[in-house]
Amino acid sequence: RKEVEQDPGPFNVPEGATVAFNCTYSNSASQSFFWYRQDCRKEPKLLMSVYSSGNEDGRFTAQLNRASQYISLLIRDSKLSDSATYLCVVNIKTSYDKVIFGPGTSLSVIP
Amino acid sequence: EAGVTQFPSHSVIEKGQTVTLRCDPISGHDNLYWYRRVMGKEIKFLLHFVKESKQDESGMPNNRFLAERTGGTYSTLKVQPAELEDSGVYFCASSQAYERRNTDTQYFGPGTRLTVL
């Protein structure tokens, strides 16, 4: 089983739609959680960190459920510019910091 | 402030040759990471420097890969000799002071696309 798993996608949604991505992680030592977005042939860029209390940044809302080892990202009012691959990233803090990437979920927002 | 830079952006070499990738982290960032994305797979951790020291190199695939960060500034990743399966995109990332354990946002460079023929 992979350490970080995501919805396989791709997600094709019309402009203005609400879309939710799910991510699960297997290592209970995981302590920090992030969503990155990666545009085609570009580097990953931090979208938002994910906190237990949940956090919102404009149209984006991230939630963390430590008990279920589950992370989500909700995008409201999708824009064409939201089209990208969304990467769930988990930081496991043991002796070292170890960063594990999920495989990503591709989103295409259609006019 | 300049971001993470990587050189070259693309490299095409033949099997058996040597290639050296370079990463310049954001100035003042102690942590430097190397990752690799092979086509169709997720991004995989290779290793982590804290300043000039290798903190974790558990992700390095084999002894054909050698990473250095002399002086704790830029880093190089050498592949010698390159094999076909080394093809992929090599990303470098940096983050701030190691002591600030909660400041672990990583900023990625644009990557080096390596093709081994």
Side-chain angles (χ1 to χ4, degrees):
Chain A
R1 185 188 168 192
K2 289 183 179 177
E3 290 192 83
V4 177
E5 298 198 68
Q6 295 186 239
D7 291 329
F11 282 51
N12 299 311
V13 303
E15 271 187 289
T18 295
V19 61
F21 300 133
N22 300 313
C23 170
T24 56
Y25 60 94
S26 59
N27 193 321
S28 58
S30 304
Q31 292 194 15
S32 303
F33 309 90
F34 308 89
W35 284 102
Y36 279 74
R37 72 170 275 168
Q38 185 173 24
D39 293 283
C40 189
R41 301 177 83 85
K42 298 283 190 178
E43 71 272 22
K45 291 191 176 174
L46 180 68
L47 180 64
M48 57 200 306
S49 302
V50 189
Y51 306 112
S52 296
S53 54
N55 47 306
E56 186 174 314
D57 182 4
R59 298 181 293 108
F60 299 82
T61 300
Q63 297 276 357
L64 166 63
N65 184 322
R66 285 187 186 270
S68 302
Q69 298 187 183
Y70 167 87
I71 305 154
S72 66
L73 176 68
L74 185 76
I75 305 176
R76 290 181 299 278
D77 189 23
S78 300
K79 312 289 185 193
L80 296 178
S81 57
D82 294 334
S83 298
T85 296
Y86 289 81
L87 302 167
C88 176
V89 179
V90 171
N91 188 329
I92 299 171
K93 292 184 188 281
T94 53
S95 302
Y96 311 127
D97 283 3
K98 191 155 198 151
V99 174
I100 310 292
F101 280 78
T105 301
S106 172
L107 172 67
S108 291
V109 181
I110 304 161
Chain B
E1 180 182 320
V4 178
T5 58
Q6 292 187 245
F7 182 83
S9 57
H10 292 81
S11 180
V12 180
I13 61 173
E14 292 189 352
K15 176 182 168 179
Q17 289 187 318
T18 298
V19 63
T20 300
L21 314 181
R22 173 171 170 143
C23 169
D24 286 78
I26 292 172
S27 178
H29 279 193
D30 289 342
N31 295 294
L32 188 150
Y33 305 82
W34 282 99
Y35 296 91
R36 176 172 74 171
R37 186 169 206 162
V38 172
M39 189 176 331
K41 304 277 189 177
E42 60 268 29
I43 296 172
K44 291 273 195 183
F45 166 83
L46 295 179
L47 87 160
H48 170 204
F49 283 99
V50 177
K51 298 182 181 176
E52 68 276 8
S53 300
K54 289 177 187 174
Q55 186 69 27
D56 179 4
E57 53 183 332
S58 60
M60 294 287 262
N62 51 61
N63 60 8
R64 295 184 294 103
F65 288 75
L66 175 64
E68 294 181 323
R69 193 184 181 195
T70 308
T73 54
Y74 72 91
S75 174
T76 58
L77 178 65
K78 182 192 286 189
V79 185
Q80 178 182 32
E83 298 290 343
L84 299 178
E85 65 264 24
D86 301 333
S87 296
V89 182
Y90 289 77
F91 290 106
C92 173
S94 71
S95 66
Q96 287 187 309
Y98 187 66
E99 293 75 18
R100 295 167 60 182
R101 300 280 300 192
N102 291 326
T103 308
D104 47 18
T105 299
Q106 295 188 21
Y107 299 89
F108 282 76
T112 294
R113 187 172 297 275
L114 175 65
T115 303
V116 183
L117 301 175

